[in-house]
Amino acid sequence: MEAYLKRHEAFIRGQLAAAGDAFDWPGLASFHRTQIGFLQQERLVHLLVTLFFGLCALLVLLFVAVRPQILAGVLLLLLLALLVPYVAHYYKLENGVQRWYHLANEIEARAGRVSQRYDDGSVEPHLH
């Protein structure tokens, strides 16, 4: 998924850098919004899985605190070994979606629609 994120972002950035005013900006905006939708579904699934593993790890940790056992400790370590990569992956997805939102705003501005730019620190609407 990370490679897909990078490829799509590179494609969009390339279109923004190379394409002129006569480009099909509404078509690119529609395509990009569809890709954002796919990524949001992926992000939701990974959030649920991450929360599930986090809850399981927390329950096992509470069990270990109440009744210390070696097998429960091993189970806790295994759950944490799975939880850390899930959190890292979710972090990458979340940051990718945030970058894509900024790209979507730039595409919308090029398409002549009202959009918002947040990347320069301002919150003024961009009217084209």
Side-chain angles (χ1 to χ4, degrees), residues 49-80:
V49 169
T50 301
L51 289 174
F52 175 75
F53 274 94
L55 180 63
C56 288
L58 183 62
L59 291 174
V60 171
L61 176 65
L62 291 173
F63 180 79
V64 168
V66 173
R67 296 193 64 191
Q69 294 180 3
I70 292 176
L71 286 177
V74 169
L75 178 60
L76 179 61
L77 289 175
L78 289 173
L79 285 171
L80 290 175

Side-chain angles (χ1 to χ4, degrees), residues 107-127:
I107 294 168
E108 293 293 339
R110 298 263 184 107
R113 299 180 184 144
V114 175
S115 67
Q116 181 66 52
R117 297 289 303 268
Y118 301 100
D119 52 348
D120 62 358
S122 70
V123 291
E124 296 297 320
H126 176 75
L127 302 173

Side-chain angles (χ1 to χ4, degrees), residues 8 30 80:
H8 178 72
S30 175
L80 290 175

